[in-house]
Amino acid sequence: MSGLLTVEGGTPLQGEITVRGAKNFVSKAMVASLLGEEASELRNVPQIRDVEVVANLLGLHGVSVEHDPQAGVIALDPRNVEAAHVADIDAYAGSSRIPILFCGPLLHRLGEAFIPDLGGCRIGDRPIDYHLNILRQFGAVVDKRVQGIHISAPGGLRGTQIHLPYPSVGATEQTLLTAVRAQGLTELSNAAIEPEIMDLIAVLQKMGAIISVDTDRTIRIEGVDRLQGFRHTALADRIEAGSWASAALATRGDVFVKGATQPEMMTFLNTFRKVGGAFDVRADGIRFWHPGGELRSIVLETDVHPGFMTDWQQPLVVALTQATGLSIVHETVYENRFGFTDALRGMGATIQIYRECLGGLECRFDQRNFNHSAVISGPTPLRAADIEVPDLRGGFSHLIAALAAEGVSRVRGIDIINRGYENFMDKLEALGAKVSLAEAQGQVALV
Ligand code: EPZ
């Protein structure tokens, strides 16, 4: 697919699209298959770049991967796991942060693991200190080398007590994927409890793991000697569903998101309603629409689950440019997730960014030099522009802005969007968007 998209905005999105399994669960479940002594099967798998990246990485480690993208089924057979070549891992992993989660399973299977420099969206520093400390606590030896980090476990991995400084999703997954086959009991306090993590726990339980979750964010894992394969259907992608919902609202449209589920989206739905959006939960999905009249400004803080997800923030901010009054958004998960608003300002939005915490939540970025609060004043009509996609969610948000704006926008670098949004071009067309792909030639002026 070309990296340049032409968008003729001003048409409300209308129609039906389907979301399949959550990107941020599917990739982890695929890694979990490494721990089994038999093949596993995952269903409801979306056809996105991150799935391809993990499939390739598993393939490099000797896992046989059979993917039927149409049916959304992926079969993973880890019986011949072997060490991969460093250069190959580097070449495949460049765009993803998933390799760090291979460590626990590979240490169990092979006694060593290697992690290249990690990629992922540039929305903050995104360090891996929690991950490395966790692995050390299990007894692993972490050796930083020129090409990346080599990790070994000469004495095997032993259960341990871990307290996370922050309920990190990845660090919680790291602990789970390492503890299930470590010797003895592991207790993880201040864990993340996102629905995608609960679904990963469900997968591990199917494999034979013993894991309990307390109401106070403590997870206890009793290590077992062997794990079997699993068959599992992935939970729906609530980030993608929320993104299409925000697109419906910003374009004054009406979109039925087939496959979206209510329990994982409760916090989003509350906020959507407060802004003035309408929704209807049905057996097979959720319909989101702009009911006419004015949208209302809100005060919003992103947080770990069950709070408002940081990944919903960027698409919703575009809709907030169309709400009457001053909206305040305090981003408490990532220190640098408002870069995408530069382009929105260039399109006519009135958004000011602040270093201060504009909200009541205790935030790690208080009194530090991070632009992590935004004040959005609306409604402001959006004008078409030439835009460069900065990251996955920011990029989709730019698309929404271009769809809501009057005139023809050119959005460059849309390939990034394929990392997390399945067939988004087909979906846009199904919703009546006037979009066309062009070869990305010449320089596009950036706003
Ligand atoms: C996951 O990233 C998701 N990615 C992100 O989705 C999501 O935004 C994030 O969780 C929060 O929900 C995947 O699942 C592949 P974290 P992860 O560890 O696990 C800090 C998307 O658009 N931290 O919960 O990397 C970190 O800097 C993406 O789909 C450390 O300081 O997120 C951040 O401020 C982007 N040290 C905070 O914790 C560490 O070692 C939360 O990050 C690890 C994290």
Side-chain angles (χ1 to χ4, degrees):
M1 181 186 283
S2 153
L4 181 66
L5 187 68
T6 304
V7 182
E8 188 182 336
T11 308
L13 292 186
Q14 265 166 347
E16 172 180 321
I17 49 109
T18 300
V19 297
R20 296 205 280 184
K23 157 177 116 43
N24 291 346
F25 161 76
V26 166
S27 44
K28 325 297 172 62
M30 289 171 72
V31 177
S33 74
L34 270 174
L35 289 160
E37 288 180 12
E38 299 141 10
S40 293
E41 185 181 278
L42 190 60
R43 299 186 162 266
N44 204 24
V45 175
Q47 196 177 357
I48 50 173
R49 179 87 49 73
D50 271 22
V51 168
E52 261 173 54
V53 168
V54 182
N56 284 331
L57 285 170
L58 287 168
L60 286 178
H61 286 95
V63 177
S64 127
V65 183
E66 277 174 39
H67 186 188
D68 179 344
Q70 224 47 39
V73 180
I74 199 155
L76 305 145
D77 189 340
R79 277 174 288 198
N80 297 317
V81 166
E82 57 192 43
H85 294 292
V86 171
D88 293 340
I89 304 178
D90 213 6
Y92 277 106
S95 64
S96 166
R97 287 175 62 78
I98 301 296
I100 187 85
L101 293 178
F102 276 65
C103 292
L106 287 180
L107 287 175
H108 287 302
R109 294 295 304 259
L110 304 171
E112 62 172 354
F114 172 79
I115 322 164
D117 270 348
L118 294 177
C121 288
R122 283 181 220 100
I123 48 185
D125 253 0
R126 308 196 73 188
I128 54 167
D129 51 335
Y130 300 169
H131 294 259
L132 299 182
N133 287 339
I134 287 166
L135 290 164
R136 286 191 189 101
Q137 274 192 256
F138 278 105
V141 177
V142 175
D143 180 16
K144 295 190 180 167
R145 297 180 180 170
V146 185
Q147 314 98 309
I149 302 170
H150 180 261
I151 300 173
S152 56
L157 297 168
R158 292 173 309 279
T160 179
Q161 285 210 330
I162 299 166
H163 177 83
L164 292 181
Y166 182 78
S168 149
V169 169
T172 301
E173 292 160 342
Q174 181 73 263
T175 307
L176 287 168
L177 291 167
T178 309
V180 280
R181 279 200 49 202
Q183 219 180 24
L185 184 71
T186 296
E187 185 177 283
L188 176 69
S189 52
N190 204 26
I193 50 164
E194 267 60 10
E196 292 76 17
I197 291 177
M198 293 302 132
D199 217 21
L200 180 63
I201 291 176
V203 161
L204 293 169
Q205 189 179 50
K206 285 178 176 176
M207 297 178 81
I210 302 171
I211 303 171
S212 61
V213 184
D214 287 353
T215 45
D216 64 351
R217 290 192 179 276
T218 301
I219 300 182
R220 284 185 188 79
I221 306 120
E222 292 178 39
V224 294
D225 288 341
R226 66 174 297 274
L227 292 169
Q228 62 211 33
F230 66 84
R231 295 182 118 212
H232 192 78
T233 301
L235 85 170
D237 197 313
R238 62 195 174 119
I239 308 178
E240 187 186 356
S243 302
W244 289 111
S246 297
L249 198 58
T251 63
R252 304 183 77 83
D254 187 339
V255 176
F256 179 60
V257 183
K258 197 170 171 194
T261 48
Q262 183 182 21
E264 296 78 20
M265 295 197 71
M266 288 235 168
T267 310
F268 179 86
L269 295 173
N270 286 335
T271 304
F272 194 78
R273 180 168 277 159
K274 282 192 211 165
V275 178
F279 63 87
D280 181 27
V281 179
R282 299 181 184 169
D284 57 344
I286 307 179
R287 176 185 162 209
F288 297 93
W289 74 98
H290 189 308
E294 288 187 352
L295 296 181
R296 295 182 286 274
S297 54
I298 53 161
V299 176
L300 180 67
E301 292 184 88
T302 64
D303 201 358
V304 293
H305 189 75
F308 190 93
M309 293 186 91
T310 169
D311 307 290
W312 287 324
Q313 178 262 106
Q314 290 160 303
L316 192 74
V317 161
V318 182
L320 291 179
T321 66
Q322 304 309 303
T324 304
L326 287 184
S327 291
I328 298 174
V329 181
H330 182 207
E331 168 63 59
T332 74
V333 180
Y334 290 113
E335 68 273 31
N336 183 21
R337 214 170 194 180
F338 283 122
F340 77 106
T341 59
D342 290 348
L344 300 187
R345 262 189 300 279
M347 297 174 81
T350 306
I351 303 177
Q352 279 173 316
I353 305 295
Y354 294 88
R355 282 197 306 270
E356 290 75 14
C357 292
L358 300 184
L361 278 183
E362 207 178 297
C363 167
R364 293 165 299 148
F365 314 132
D366 189 21
Q367 306 296 334
R368 296 172 69 193
N369 212 16
F370 297 126
N371 288 321
H372 71 291
S373 294
V375 176
I376 303 130
S377 171
T380 46
L382 297 177
R383 300 183 295 272
D386 286 350
I387 313 163
E388 175 96 22
V389 166
D391 61 69
L392 175 60
R393 309 296 167 196
F396 195 84
S397 308
H398 287 167
L399 257 186
I400 299 176
L403 291 162
E406 284 301 328
V408 178
S409 297
R410 289 191 302 164
V411 187
R412 189 186 176 95
I414 58 154
D415 277 354
I416 296 177
I417 297 174
N418 289 316
R419 275 194 49 211
Y421 293 89
E422 181 178 39
N423 295 336
F424 73 93
M425 279 299 296
D426 294 344
K427 291 181 186 176
L428 284 171
E429 278 163 11
L431 297 176
K434 296 180 183 152
V435 290
S436 61
L437 282 170
E439 279 310 312
Q441 280 169 356
Q443 222 20 58
V444 174
L446 303 183
V447 291

